[in-house]
Amino acid sequence: PEANLLYGEGGAGTYSDGKLYTRTQHELEAPILETLVEAGAPAEIRFDARAHVGTDRLHRILPALRGQLEARGVRFHFGTKVLGFVAPTTTPQRVRALRTSEGEVACDAVFLALGHSARDTIATLASEGLSVEAKPFQIGLRIEHPQALVDAGRYGEARDPVRLGHAYYALVAKPEGDAPGVHSFCMCPGGQIVAAVAQPGLLCTNGMSNSRHSSPFANSGLVVTLGPREYGGDVFDGWRFQEKLEAAFFAAGGGDYHLPAQRVPDFLAGRESRILPRSSCKLGERSVRIDALLPEPMTRALRDAIRRFDREIPGYAGEDGLLVGIESRSSGPLRMTRDPVARRSTGFENVYPVGEGAGHAGGIMSAAIDGARSAWAFLGHFE
């Protein structure tokens, strides 16, 4: 519970895969990419529209980046857990130290880049005055196909993986009637599906790729966006909704981290898969009626979207497709409120919530830019 894929060095997404493409446009993007190149990332991330470092390279790049920071005076305290604020009861509060599992750490300011799954820490800080609110988040399944099917659907007769590389896709099905919209997320060409687990008795999935995209499989998240209207009005109801589904998938998989899986045609027809195809899942998968585990509106939306996506990539809804679940931590259902200019937490003089865990970013690059902008604000550089 204290060391897992969701708590990785450099942030969960950075640790697991290193997809750097983003819709965020900001002048800080270029120096952030340069910093990664200086630590050993490939030079082409400076200009590649779908810049990707790869899990295998990140294992070397992130320790090198840490070494550069330590040479500049940064100190890392691994295995040290934040237990709360040390702050006088003033308004606004000014934190003078952090309580940690290794004792108090004095501070002039606190940048909270906790990630969205450090739930015990977030709940503790919320009980000490950190302002949080519910927000919409994404939840769904992983879908996997042979990479050759995706290449053929995207490149047609011109497919040439050696020169063109493996094909990506980004698919969107807009809402229809009362069904939520569906979009693909974190598409991994030549990748594998992994279990991303932070708490005992729960199960969720993620996707990752090595730098050469060497797996014969392509996978992607297929997610819907839900908000307080769907999961409840209490600020922590989103967590409860996620964890209820994660517990159900853990139990359905046998309670041993096998991933519940269902062939795409069987998901569409509402029947169990008698035989599962070969998959990239290292921990194995078990045949489960995933369609029956999800809330009915989610199942209906995913079925409709998969049929529509089949028109864009022939075979997407066919026998070679496999659904694995649940994909539940692609974003978080909480936001830490802050001043939009000074970027300080509501009610605090010197606390800066940043990144995806604070609910102000949605990926590696947007989280990095968000943190750097807050550092600018701390230094008095207001945009």
Side-chain angles (χ1 to χ4, degrees):
E2 301 299 332
N4 54 70
L5 202 63
L6 293 175
Y7 296 167
E9 180 179 15
T14 313
Y15 174 81
S16 66
D17 188 73
K19 292 183 183 71
L20 302 177
Y21 37 94
T22 178
R23 289 173 293 182
T24 302
Q25 298 294 319
H26 196 275
E27 62 188 294
L28 283 166
E29 182 177 359
I32 289 169
L33 292 172
E34 288 291 345
T35 300
L36 287 171
V37 171
E38 290 169 6
E44 57 265 27
I45 68 171
R46 295 185 180 111
F47 55 82
D48 190 344
R50 299 192 69 84
H52 171 253
V53 179
T55 304
D56 51 338
R57 287 177 172 170
L58 285 166
H59 293 169
R60 300 188 301 272
I61 292 166
L62 290 172
L65 179 60
R66 186 201 326 149
Q68 291 179 4
L69 293 169
E70 287 174 329
R72 298 175 185 178
V74 177
R75 286 187 296 160
F76 290 81
H77 300 267
F78 290 108
T80 302
K81 187 172 184 175
V82 173
L83 303 177
F85 293 139
V86 178
T89 54
T90 58
T91 305
Q93 293 189 80
R94 182 172 185 83
V95 176
R96 62 175 180 81
L98 292 176
R99 296 196 320 277
T100 80
S101 56
E102 301 298 318
E104 287 192 8
V105 178
C107 61
D108 294 315
V110 181
F111 292 82
L112 291 176
L114 298 173
H116 58 49
S117 290
R119 295 189 166 177
D120 50 354
T121 303
I122 295 171
T124 296
L125 297 181
S127 72
E128 297 185 358
L130 184 72
S131 175
V132 295
E133 62 184 8
K135 75 170 186 65
F137 73 104
Q138 285 75 48
I139 191 167
L141 301 171
R142 275 271 147 187
I143 188 166
E144 183 171 76
H145 297 91
Q147 181 65 52
L149 183 148
V150 177
D151 290 344
R154 276 293 181 246
Y155 295 148
E157 294 302 317
R159 63 184 182 274
D160 184 348
V162 174
R163 289 191 295 170
L164 296 176
H166 286 310
Y168 294 78
Y169 62 76
L171 303 172
V172 177
K174 294 183 179 179
E176 285 194 358
D178 62 344
V182 176
H183 67 273
S184 64
F185 175 84
C186 185
M187 194 269 159
C188 300
Q192 70 180 79
I193 296 174
V194 296
V197 180
Q199 295 160 266
L202 305 181
L203 181 65
C204 63
T205 60
N206 200 351
M208 55 196 277
S209 302
N210 285 331
S211 55
R212 295 187 178 184
H213 302 284
S214 52
S215 161
F217 299 101
N219 72 77
S220 174
L222 285 186
V223 296
V224 304
T225 300
L226 302 180
R229 183 181 66 179
E230 288 84 14
Y231 59 72
D234 184 81
V235 70
F236 296 117
D237 277 348
W239 282 359
R240 298 182 185 108
F241 179 82
Q242 282 177 314
E243 291 174 7
K244 181 179 178 181
L245 284 173
E246 290 167 358
F249 273 74
F250 178 77
D256 59 1
Y257 298 101
H258 277 71
L259 303 181
Q262 188 176 19
R263 283 183 182 267
V264 170
D266 297 327
F267 178 85
L268 297 177
R271 61 177 179 249
E272 187 174 346
S273 298
R274 294 195 305 123
I275 300 174
L276 295 175
R278 195 165 67 93
S279 167
S280 68
C281 304
K282 299 296 186 185
L283 297 180
E285 64 278 337
R286 286 205 170 94
S287 179
V288 171
R289 281 280 308 276
I290 288 178
D291 62 294
L293 289 180
L294 296 174
E296 192 276 333
M298 283 183 62
T299 296
R300 182 157 37 90
L302 288 165
R303 283 172 172 164
D304 177 67
I306 290 168
R307 292 187 179 103
R308 285 198 256 174
F309 297 160
D310 190 68
R311 296 196 288 269
E312 298 190 45
I313 301 177
Y316 199 87
E319 282 291 330
D320 289 327
L322 182 70
L323 287 161
V324 177
I326 185 169
E327 176 85 0
S328 50
R329 301 289 179 105
S330 59
S331 64
L334 287 184
R335 179 182 293 112
M336 301 176 190
T337 64
R338 68 186 185 191
D339 181 276
V341 177
R343 303 175 73 85
R344 291 189 289 263
S345 174
T346 305
F348 286 87
E349 282 187 1
N350 62 339
V351 175
Y352 296 81
V354 300
E356 197 163 334
H360 296 283
I364 297 168
M365 183 55 67
S366 62
I369 291 171
D370 190 67
R373 290 179 66 190
S374 291
W376 269 3
F378 173 70
L379 296 171
H381 179 100
F382 297 110
E383 299 173 82

